[in-house]
Amino acid sequence: MRFLARRLGFYLLTAWAAITLNFLVPRLMPGDPVELLVARMRGNVDPAAIDAMRRAFGISDASLWQQYLDYLGNLAQGELGRSITFFPAEVSTVIADSLPWTVGLVGVATLISYLMGTSLGVLMAWKRGTWLDGVLPAATFMHAVPYFWVALALVFVFGVTLQWFPVSRAYGLDVMPGLTGEFAGSVVYHAALPAVTIVVASMADRILGMRNVMVTTLGEDYVVMAEAKGLTSRRVMWAYAARNAILPNITSFALSLGFVVGGSVLTEIVFSYPGIGSMLLKAVENEDFPLMQGIFLVISLAVLVANFLADLAYVVLDPRTRQEAE
Amino acid sequence: MKRIVAVLAALAVAGCSSGGGSAGRTGTSAPPLVIHAVDAGTFQEDFNPYHLEGVNFGTSGMIYETLMYFNKLKPGEITPWLALKYEWSDKGKSVTFTLRQGVKWTDGQPFTADDVAFTFRMLKDHAQLNASALEIKDAQALAPDKVRIDFKSTSYAKLFNIAGGSPIVPKHLWEKQQDPATFTNAKPVGTGPYKLAKFSAQLYEMEKNPSYWQPGKPEVPLLRFPAYTANALQTALQQGEVDWAGAFVPDIQKIFVQGKPEQNKFFFPPEGLVTLLPNLTNPILSKPEVRQAISLAIDRDKIVKVAERGYTKVAHPTGVAMPGGEAYVPPEYKDAAFKVDVERAKELLKGVNPAELKFTLLVPSPFTDWVNAAQLIREDLAKVGITVETRGVAFQDWVSKVGKGDYDLSIRGAEAGPTPYFQLRFLLFGGLAKPVGEAASGNYERWKDAETDRLIDAYAATDDLAEQQKATQGLGKIMMAKLPVLPLFYSPGWAQYRTNKYVGWPSEQDPYAMPSPYASPDAAVVLLHLKPAVK
């Protein structure tokens, strides 16, 4: 398939560009990690030891070009280096420890937000002129409000004032991680507020997208025909209209899956959730180049893979793209 | 993930006996103490006391101990710990420690001079662990209780780093490690009052070492360290989850004290000095009368009250932390204090072209208290005709600019050290001044003065306490007369503690150790002083 090969080539090129930017961008930041460490320790480090620390962290004075080649070489071997913030932990370990939390939390929340948003969108287009129309402004409002603010409000009301939900961590202090019901329950309980934040803040997009396409679709002749045939309204709504209207929403879903890995940095920070967003913040604060690069790499690759999947989904779902391709 | 898998494997081996995590395993009725030392979302399994970052708090102090303990709140107060005494020889190039007998590692092996010699040889061989840059030539055990460490240069002034800042590690376990620099030491074996009981990414626990060398101590059987980020901790303090924390709390009366001052206490002793740095390579700021005028114009009381919420005190004009540092201050300046004098400041500025009195004041914008202080300084200086533009920049940018001397005025802190000398050396030593454009690691204002350097060398060349105090007093006189940097206020050490479970915490009346849980090994000293509260 020439189409697929072309897309694949395009994605490889993009991946290379992402990897290179990944290398360059952190190095454009002012300062260097050891200076920052010294500043954080308020000068409690002997100046003569600063060289020792540079050596320990593997910070080299080599030329940028040499560093770039080393970086590519290490990357080819799957070596991401050691984190400076969590020295001497390997970057791959830090990412492997935090990624499951983010994928779990943001992934599930994205799925819920997608299902709820799409269904609401379908209903709202179908039942125009009813009370359901009021949902849209409310959802858009929640979407317009900065989502960390929603998170803070939830923390204040349900965490601090009512104390119904925990406000930090991924699981309780009294449970040990393991495949136990107790642990799973604790994880779900702790994920509740952050997940609600993400769902509430991102649902408007889906509702709006679905509703608008649905409204157009409802005017199509085949929908009128289906109604004229006397089919049940549920069947017309889901099997005739929604099925055709959902196409753009599937693409946007595939795309948003890519951003799941990037996480909702602010949500994670507000809820002290130990995911990749919190790690990214730590890495930036400490000029931890290896960790930043590792995280950016994982995020950009995830976005690329999601894009590729979206492309594929389109080819499968929409015959028109297939025709054009062949 | 790896960790979860490991836990699962352990559970499978143990026949899935998930005990429910009961805390009272030691059998005593004394409750556990919940401690917050440093902000962390998650913990890494690292208990190597020579790692600067990433190491879990308590490794140094609770698990690994030093040869002696230096109380920074009473400069000159040194308590024998693993070593009973020390003796310098060869003009400060050699020090011999006599060690305490009968101390055991938590795996039952005896602690000997071999362990001490091994520790210092390890620092010599692995420069990246040697954070205090000790110039070690050799270290050898002379007898089971005697060890001699030789240095390449006179090291009197480094006694704190040698005896107070180098935790001793067990030779019989550490010598098997290929690279101690990357060794994470997941199962630490130390001589200290506690040993690691449990570790997970969100919580670790330390339990009492039953064979600790101080009989009957510690009386707190279990320490719990949950991971809190900065904002999660505020909620935890408010809800009473934490017994001992070291954190900045915006409104401490409301969030922490909650109307119970006899139970929810805090103590913020000086931990360092915050100064206004004038860039002395600026031709105007290099004039002493301009610095004098700036100092006279600044209302420090207001800065402490408004920007610092009254959590700290205005610094002594020599920069020495008071009370505590009296012996290090010239006698005639003991009661000196900053006073605002706008008229005199204007007088001093008469000879300077007013058009040239324009400076930018660089502050790191995440430090909101310093940003507020900078605004107050701007207002104060406007009254004497100095135009100041305050500029808040990102932390990284600020570190880089101040380090390279690319600023007019800035605010920066200096760590107190075991005696005031360390802070003054950091602020004033000519050897640390770098040309503008090169990152300095101290003396950011770039002060160069032969007399200052002579006094600093004089302190380092003697073991005599009186001589050392005299040299520091000389530095104090330079601070008073020439104002190379302008002291503002002390940077407070944060410590909040509750007395409902345990009593015996350090206080202003009895400052036997730094009260902050993140100060090591001080925190271990505090734990050894705690007694269960009588109900």
Side-chain angles (χ1 to χ4, degrees), chain B residues 230-300:
Chain B
N231 52 356
L233 177 71
Q234 307 291 333
T235 324
L237 275 175
Q238 196 166 18
Q239 297 178 346
E241 275 176 34
V242 181
D243 298 312
W244 185 18
F248 170 76
V249 179
D251 185 349
I252 196 151
Q253 293 296 342
K254 192 170 155 213
I255 291 181
F256 177 68
V257 179
Q258 299 171 345
K260 291 187 202 159
E262 71 298 332
Q263 180 196 307
N264 299 338
K265 298 190 174 186
F266 59 92
F267 175 32
F268 301 154
E271 189 184 55
L273 175 71
V274 176
T275 59
L276 180 67
L277 294 176
N279 188 340
L280 301 177
T281 60
N282 177 312
I284 309 297
L285 289 170
S286 70
K287 294 180 183 170
E289 67 269 22
V290 173
R291 299 199 297 272
Q292 193 82 46
I294 292 177
S295 184
L296 285 169
I298 297 173
D299 184 353
R300 292 171 171 84

Coordinates of all heavy atoms in Angstrom, one line a residue, chain B residues 230-300:
Chain B
A230 N 4.1 20.1 48.2 CA 4.0 21.3 49.0 C 2.6 21.6 49.3 O 2.3 21.9 50.5 CB 4.7 22.4 48.3
N231 N 1.7 21.5 48.3 CA 0.3 21.9 48.6 C -0.5 20.9 49.4 O -1.3 21.2 50.2 CB -0.5 22.4 47.4 CG -0.4 21.4 46.3 OD1 0.3 20.3 46.4 ND2 -1.1 21.6 45.2
A232 N -0.1 19.6 49.2 CA -0.8 18.5 49.9 C -0.4 18.6 51.4 O -1.2 18.3 52.3 CB -0.4 17.2 49.4
L233 N 0.8 19.1 51.7 CA 1.2 19.2 53.1 C 0.4 20.2 53.8 O 0.0 20.0 55.0 CB 2.7 19.6 53.2 CG 3.1 19.7 54.6 CD1 3.2 18.4 55.3 CD2 4.4 20.5 54.7
Q234 N 0.0 21.3 53.2 CA -0.8 22.3 53.9 C -2.1 21.7 54.4 O -2.5 22.0 55.5 CB -1.1 23.5 53.0 CG 0.2 24.1 52.3 CD 1.1 24.8 53.3 OE1 0.6 25.3 54.3 NE2 2.4 24.9 52.9
T235 N -2.7 21.0 53.5 CA -4.0 20.3 53.9 C -3.7 19.3 55.0 O -4.5 19.2 56.0 CB -4.6 19.6 52.7 OG1 -4.3 20.3 51.5 CG2 -6.1 19.4 52.9
A236 N -2.6 18.6 54.9 CA -2.3 17.6 55.9 C -2.1 18.2 57.3 O -2.5 17.7 58.3 CB -1.1 16.8 55.5
L237 N -1.4 19.4 57.3 CA -1.1 20.1 58.6 C -2.4 20.6 59.2 O -2.7 20.5 60.4 CB -0.2 21.3 58.3 CG 1.3 21.0 58.3 CD1 2.0 22.3 57.9 CD2 1.8 20.5 59.6
Q238 N -3.3 21.0 58.3 CA -4.6 21.5 58.8 C -5.4 20.4 59.4 O -6.1 20.6 60.4 CB -5.3 22.2 57.6 CG -6.5 23.1 58.0 CD -6.9 23.9 56.8 OE1 -6.6 23.6 55.7 NE2 -7.6 25.0 57.1
Q239 N -5.3 19.2 58.8 CA -6.2 18.1 59.3 C -5.5 17.4 60.4 O -6.0 16.3 60.8 CB -6.5 17.2 58.1 CG -7.4 17.9 57.1 CD -7.7 17.1 55.9 OE1 -7.1 16.0 55.7 NE2 -8.7 17.5 55.1
G240 N -4.3 17.8 60.7 CA -3.6 17.1 61.9 C -3.0 15.8 61.6 O -2.7 15.0 62.5
E241 N -2.7 15.5 60.3 CA -2.1 14.2 59.9 C -0.6 14.1 60.3 O -0.1 13.1 60.5 CB -2.2 14.0 58.4 CG -3.5 13.5 57.9 CD -3.5 13.4 56.4 OE1 -2.4 13.2 55.8 OE2 -4.5 13.7 55.8
V242 N 0.0 15.3 60.3 CA 1.5 15.3 60.5 C 1.9 15.8 61.8 O 1.3 16.8 62.3 CB 2.1 16.2 59.4 CG1 3.6 16.2 59.5 CG2 1.7 15.7 58.0
D243 N 2.8 15.1 62.5 CA 3.2 15.5 63.8 C 4.4 16.5 63.8 O 4.6 17.2 64.7 CB 3.7 14.3 64.6 CG 2.5 13.3 64.8 OD1 1.5 13.7 65.2 OD2 2.7 12.1 64.6
W244 N 5.2 16.3 62.8 CA 6.5 17.2 62.7 C 6.7 17.5 61.3 O 6.9 16.6 60.4 CB 7.6 16.3 63.3 CG 8.9 17.1 63.5 CD1 9.1 18.4 63.5 CD2 10.2 16.5 63.7 NE1 10.4 18.7 63.6 CE2 11.1 17.5 63.8 CE3 10.6 15.1 63.8 CZ2 12.5 17.3 64.0 CZ3 12.0 14.9 64.0 CH2 12.9 16.0 64.1
A245 N 6.8 18.8 60.9 CA 7.0 19.2 59.6 C 8.0 20.4 59.5 O 8.2 21.1 60.5 CB 5.7 19.6 58.9
G246 N 8.6 20.5 58.4 CA 9.5 21.6 58.1 C 9.0 22.3 56.9 O 9.5 22.0 55.8
A247 N 8.1 23.2 57.0 CA 7.5 23.8 55.7 C 7.1 25.2 55.9 O 6.8 25.6 57.1 CB 6.3 23.0 55.3
F248 N 7.1 26.0 54.9 CA 6.5 27.3 54.9 C 5.0 27.2 54.9 O 4.5 26.5 54.1 CB 7.0 28.1 53.7 CG 6.3 29.4 53.6 CD1 6.6 30.5 54.4 CD2 5.3 29.6 52.6 CE1 5.9 31.7 54.3 CE2 4.6 30.8 52.5 CZ 4.9 31.8 53.3
V249 N 4.4 27.8 55.9 CA 2.9 27.8 56.0 C 2.4 29.2 55.9 O 2.8 30.1 56.7 CB 2.5 27.2 57.3 CG1 0.9 27.2 57.4 CG2 3.0 25.8 57.4
P250 N 1.6 29.5 54.9 CA 1.2 30.9 54.6 C 0.6 31.6 55.9 O 1.0 32.7 56.2 CB 0.3 30.9 53.5 CG 0.5 29.5 52.8 CD 1.1 28.6 53.9
D251 N -0.4 31.0 56.5 CA -1.0 31.6 57.6 C -1.0 30.6 58.8 O -1.9 29.8 58.9 CB -2.5 32.0 57.3 CG -3.1 32.8 58.4 OD1 -2.5 32.8 59.5 OD2 -4.2 33.4 58.2
I252 N 0.1 30.7 59.5 CA 0.4 29.6 60.4 C -0.6 29.5 61.6 O -1.0 28.4 62.0 CB 1.8 29.6 61.0 CG1 2.2 28.3 61.6 CG2 2.0 30.8 62.0 CD1 3.6 27.9 61.5
Q253 N -1.2 30.6 62.0 CA -2.1 30.6 63.1 C -3.4 29.9 62.6 O -3.9 29.1 63.4 CB -2.5 32.0 63.5 CG -1.3 32.8 64.2 CD -0.9 32.2 65.5 OE1 -1.6 31.4 66.1 NE2 0.3 32.5 65.9
K254 N -3.8 30.2 61.4 CA -5.1 29.6 61.0 C -4.9 28.1 60.5 O -5.7 27.2 60.9 CB -5.6 30.4 59.8 CG -7.0 30.1 59.4 CD -7.5 31.1 58.4 CE -8.7 30.4 57.6 NZ -8.7 30.9 56.3
I255 N -3.8 27.9 59.8 CA -3.6 26.5 59.2 C -3.1 25.5 60.2 O -3.5 24.4 60.3 CB -2.7 26.6 58.0 CG1 -3.5 27.4 56.9 CG2 -2.3 25.2 57.5 CD1 -2.7 27.5 55.6
F256 N -2.1 25.9 61.0 CA -1.5 25.0 61.9 C -1.8 25.1 63.4 O -2.3 24.2 64.0 CB 0.0 25.0 61.7 CG 0.8 24.1 62.6 CD1 0.7 22.7 62.5 CD2 1.6 24.6 63.6 CE1 1.3 21.8 63.3 CE2 2.2 23.7 64.5 CZ 2.1 22.3 64.3
V257 N -1.7 26.3 63.9 CA -1.9 26.5 65.4 C -3.4 26.3 65.7 O -3.7 25.6 66.7 CB -1.4 27.9 65.8 CG1 -1.6 28.1 67.3 CG2 0.1 28.0 65.5
Q258 N -4.3 26.8 65.0 CA -5.7 26.6 65.1 C -6.2 26.8 66.6 O -6.9 26.0 67.2 CB -6.1 25.1 64.7 CG -5.8 24.9 63.3 CD -6.0 23.4 62.9 OE1 -6.0 22.6 63.7 NE2 -6.0 23.2 61.6
G259 N -5.6 27.9 67.2 CA -6.1 28.2 68.5 C -5.6 27.3 69.6 O -6.0 27.4 70.8
K260 N -4.6 26.5 69.3 CA -4.0 25.6 70.4 C -2.5 25.8 70.5 O -1.7 24.9 70.2 CB -4.3 24.2 70.1 CG -5.7 23.8 70.2 CD -5.8 22.2 70.0 CE -7.2 21.8 69.6 NZ -7.1 20.5 69.0
P261 N -2.1 27.0 70.9 CA -0.6 27.3 70.9 C 0.2 26.4 71.8 O 1.4 26.3 71.7 CB -0.6 28.8 71.3 CG -1.9 29.1 72.0 CD -2.9 28.1 71.4
E262 N -0.5 25.9 72.8 CA 0.3 25.0 73.8 C 0.5 23.6 73.2 O 1.4 22.9 73.7 CB -0.4 25.0 75.2 CG -1.7 24.2 75.3 CD -2.8 24.7 74.4 OE1 -2.9 25.9 74.1 OE2 -3.7 23.9 74.0
Q263 N -0.2 23.3 72.2 CA 0.0 22.0 71.6 C 0.7 22.1 70.2 O 1.6 21.3 69.9 CB -1.3 21.2 71.5 CG -1.2 19.9 70.8 CD -2.5 19.3 70.4 OE1 -3.5 19.2 71.1 NE2 -2.5 18.9 69.1
N264 N 0.1 22.9 69.3 CA 0.7 23.0 68.0 C 1.7 24.2 67.9 O 1.4 25.3 67.8 CB -0.5 23.3 67.0 CG -1.5 22.2 67.0 OD1 -1.2 21.1 67.4 ND2 -2.7 22.5 66.6
K265 N 3.0 23.8 68.1 CA 4.0 24.8 68.2 C 4.9 24.9 67.0 O 4.9 24.0 66.2 CB 4.9 24.4 69.4 CG 4.2 24.4 70.7 CD 5.1 24.2 71.9 CE 4.4 24.3 73.2 NZ 5.2 24.4 74.3
F266 N 5.5 26.0 66.9 CA 6.5 26.2 65.8 C 7.7 27.0 66.3 O 7.6 27.7 67.3 CB 5.9 26.9 64.6 CG 5.3 28.2 64.8 CD1 6.1 29.4 64.6 CD2 4.0 28.4 65.3 CE1 5.5 30.6 64.9 CE2 3.4 29.7 65.5 CZ 4.2 30.8 65.3
F267 N 8.8 26.8 65.7 CA 10.1 27.4 66.1 C 10.9 27.6 64.8 O 11.2 26.6 64.1 CB 10.8 26.5 67.1 CG 12.2 26.9 67.5 CD1 12.5 28.3 67.6 CD2 13.2 26.0 67.9 CE1 13.8 28.7 68.0 CE2 14.4 26.4 68.3 CZ 14.7 27.7 68.3
F268 N 11.1 28.9 64.5 CA 11.8 29.2 63.2 C 13.2 29.9 63.5 O 13.3 31.1 63.4 CB 11.0 30.1 62.4 CG 9.6 29.6 62.0 CD1 8.6 30.4 61.7 CD2 9.4 28.2 61.9 CE1 7.3 29.9 61.3 CE2 8.2 27.7 61.5 CZ 7.1 28.6 61.2
P269 N 14.2 29.1 64.0 CA 15.5 29.8 64.3 C 16.2 30.2 63.0 O 15.9 29.6 61.9 CB 16.2 28.7 65.0 CG 15.7 27.4 64.4 CD 14.2 27.7 64.1
P270 N 17.2 31.1 63.1 CA 17.9 31.4 61.9 C 18.7 30.2 61.3 O 19.3 29.5 62.0 CB 18.9 32.5 62.4 CG 18.6 32.8 63.7 CD 17.7 31.8 64.3
E271 N 18.6 30.1 60.0 CA 19.2 28.9 59.3 C 20.2 29.5 58.3 O 21.1 28.8 57.8 CB 18.2 28.1 58.6 CG 18.6 26.8 58.0 CD 17.5 26.2 57.3 OE1 17.0 26.8 56.3 OE2 17.2 25.0 57.6
G272 N 20.1 30.8 58.1 CA 21.0 31.4 57.1 C 20.7 32.9 57.1 O 19.9 33.4 57.9
L273 N 21.3 33.6 56.2 CA 21.2 35.0 56.1 C 20.7 35.4 54.7 O 21.3 35.0 53.7 CB 22.6 35.7 56.5 CG 22.7 37.2 56.4 CD1 21.9 37.8 57.5 CD2 24.1 37.6 56.4
V274 N 19.7 36.3 54.7 CA 19.3 36.8 53.4 C 19.9 38.2 53.2 O 19.7 39.0 54.1 CB 17.8 36.8 53.2 CG1 17.3 37.5 51.9 CG2 17.2 35.4 53.4
T275 N 20.6 38.4 52.1 CA 21.2 39.7 52.0 C 20.8 40.4 50.7 O 20.3 39.7 49.7 CB 22.8 39.6 51.9 OG1 23.1 38.7 50.8 CG2 23.4 39.0 53.1
L276 N 20.9 41.7 50.6 CA 20.8 42.4 49.4 C 22.2 42.5 48.8 O 23.1 43.1 49.4 CB 20.2 43.8 49.7 CG 20.0 44.7 48.4 CD1 18.9 44.2 47.6 CD2 19.7 46.1 48.9
L277 N 22.4 41.9 47.6 CA 23.7 41.9 47.0 C 23.8 43.1 46.1 O 23.1 43.2 45.1 CB 23.8 40.6 46.1 CG 23.9 39.2 46.8 CD1 23.9 38.1 45.8 CD2 25.1 39.1 47.8
P278 N 24.8 43.9 46.3 CA 25.1 44.9 45.3 C 26.2 44.4 44.4 O 27.2 43.8 44.9 CB 25.7 46.1 46.2 CG 26.2 45.4 47.4 CD 25.7 44.0 47.5
N279 N 26.1 44.5 43.1 CA 27.1 44.1 42.2 C 28.3 45.1 42.2 O 28.1 46.2 41.7 CB 26.6 43.9 40.8 CG 27.6 43.3 39.9 OD1 28.7 43.3 40.1 ND2 27.1 42.7 38.8
L280 N 29.4 44.7 42.8 CA 30.5 45.6 43.1 C 31.3 45.9 41.8 O 32.1 46.8 41.8 CB 31.4 45.1 44.2 CG 30.7 44.8 45.5 CD1 31.6 44.2 46.5 CD2 30.1 46.1 46.0
T281 N 30.9 45.2 40.7 CA 31.6 45.6 39.5 C 30.9 46.8 38.8 O 31.3 47.3 37.8 CB 31.7 44.4 38.5 OG1 30.3 44.0 38.2 CG2 32.4 43.3 39.1
N282 N 29.7 47.2 39.3 CA 29.0 48.3 38.9 C 29.7 49.6 39.5 O 29.9 49.6 40.7 CB 27.5 48.2 39.4 CG 26.7 49.4 39.0 OD1 27.1 50.6 39.2 ND2 25.6 49.2 38.4
P283 N 30.1 50.5 38.7 CA 31.0 51.6 39.2 C 30.2 52.4 40.3 O 30.9 53.0 41.2 CB 31.2 52.5 38.0 CG 30.3 52.0 36.9 CD 30.0 50.6 37.2
I284 N 28.9 52.6 40.2 CA 28.2 53.3 41.3 C 28.1 52.5 42.5 O 28.4 53.0 43.6 CB 26.8 53.8 40.8 CG1 26.9 54.4 39.4 CG2 26.1 54.7 41.8 CD1 27.7 55.7 39.4
L285 N 27.7 51.3 42.4 CA 27.5 50.4 43.6 C 28.9 50.1 44.3 O 28.9 49.7 45.4 CB 26.8 49.2 43.2 CG 25.3 49.3 42.9 CD1 24.7 48.1 42.3 CD2 24.5 49.8 44.1
S286 N 30.0 50.3 43.6 CA 31.2 50.0 44.2 C 31.6 51.1 45.2 O 32.6 50.9 45.9 CB 32.3 49.8 43.1 OG 32.6 51.0 42.5
K287 N 30.9 52.2 45.1 CA 31.2 53.3 46.1 C 30.6 53.0 47.5 O 29.4 52.8 47.5 CB 30.6 54.6 45.6 CG 31.3 55.1 44.3 CD 30.7 56.4 43.9 CE 31.3 56.9 42.6 NZ 30.6 58.0 42.0
P288 N 31.4 52.9 48.5 CA 30.9 52.5 49.8 C 29.8 53.5 50.3 O 28.8 53.0 50.9 CB 32.1 52.6 50.8 CG 33.3 52.9 49.9 CD 32.9 53.1 48.5
E289 N 29.8 54.8 49.9 CA 28.8 55.7 50.5 C 27.4 55.4 49.8 O 26.4 55.5 50.5 CB 29.2 57.1 50.3 CG 29.3 57.6 48.9 CD 30.7 57.5 48.2 OE1 31.4 56.6 48.7 OE2 31.0 58.2 47.2
V290 N 27.4 54.9 48.6 CA 26.2 54.5 48.0 C 25.5 53.3 48.7 O 24.4 53.3 49.0 CB 26.4 54.2 46.5 CG1 25.1 53.7 45.8 CG2 26.8 55.5 45.7
R291 N 26.4 52.3 49.0 CA 25.9 51.1 49.7 C 25.4 51.5 51.1 O 24.3 51.0 51.6 CB 27.0 50.1 49.8 CG 27.5 49.6 48.5 CD 28.2 48.3 48.6 NE 29.4 48.3 49.4 CZ 30.6 48.6 48.9 NH1 30.8 48.9 47.7 NH2 31.6 48.6 49.8
Q292 N 26.1 52.4 51.7 CA 25.7 52.9 53.0 C 24.4 53.6 53.0 O 23.5 53.3 53.8 CB 26.8 54.0 53.5 CG 26.7 54.3 55.0 CD 27.4 53.3 55.8 OE1 28.5 52.8 55.5 NE2 26.8 52.8 56.9
A293 N 24.2 54.4 52.0 CA 22.9 55.1 51.8 C 21.8 54.1 51.6 O 20.7 54.3 52.1 CB 23.0 56.1 50.6
I294 N 22.0 53.1 50.7 CA 21.0 52.2 50.5 C 20.6 51.5 51.8 O 19.4 51.3 52.1 CB 21.5 51.1 49.4 CG1 21.6 51.8 48.0 CG2 20.5 50.0 49.3 CD1 22.2 50.9 47.0
S295 N 21.6 51.1 52.5 CA 21.4 50.4 53.8 C 20.6 51.2 54.7 O 19.6 50.8 55.4 CB 22.7 50.0 54.4 OG 22.4 49.2 55.6
L296 N 20.9 52.5 54.8 CA 20.2 53.4 55.7 C 18.7 53.7 55.3 O 17.9 54.0 56.1 CB 20.9 54.8 55.8 CG 22.2 54.8 56.6 CD1 23.0 56.1 56.4 CD2 21.9 54.6 58.1
A297 N 18.5 53.5 54.0 CA 17.1 53.9 53.5 C 16.2 52.7 53.7 O 14.9 52.9 53.8 CB 17.2 54.2 52.1
I298 N 16.7 51.5 53.8 CA 15.8 50.3 53.8 C 15.2 50.1 55.2 O 15.9 50.0 56.2 CB 16.5 49.1 53.4 CG1 17.0 49.2 51.9 CG2 15.7 47.8 53.5 CD1 17.9 48.1 51.4
D299 N 13.9 50.0 55.3 CA 13.2 49.7 56.5 C 13.0 48.2 56.7 O 12.1 47.6 56.2 CB 11.8 50.4 56.5 CG 11.1 50.2 57.8 OD1 11.6 49.5 58.7 OD2 10.0 50.9 58.0
R300 N 14.0 47.6 57.4 CA 14.0 46.1 57.5 C 12.9 45.6 58.3 O 12.4 44.5 58.1 CB 15.4 45.7 58.0 CG 16.5 45.9 57.0 CD 17.9 45.7 57.6 NE 19.0 45.7 56.7 CZ 19.6 46.8 56.3 NH1 19.2 48.0 56.7 NH2 20.6 46.8 55.5

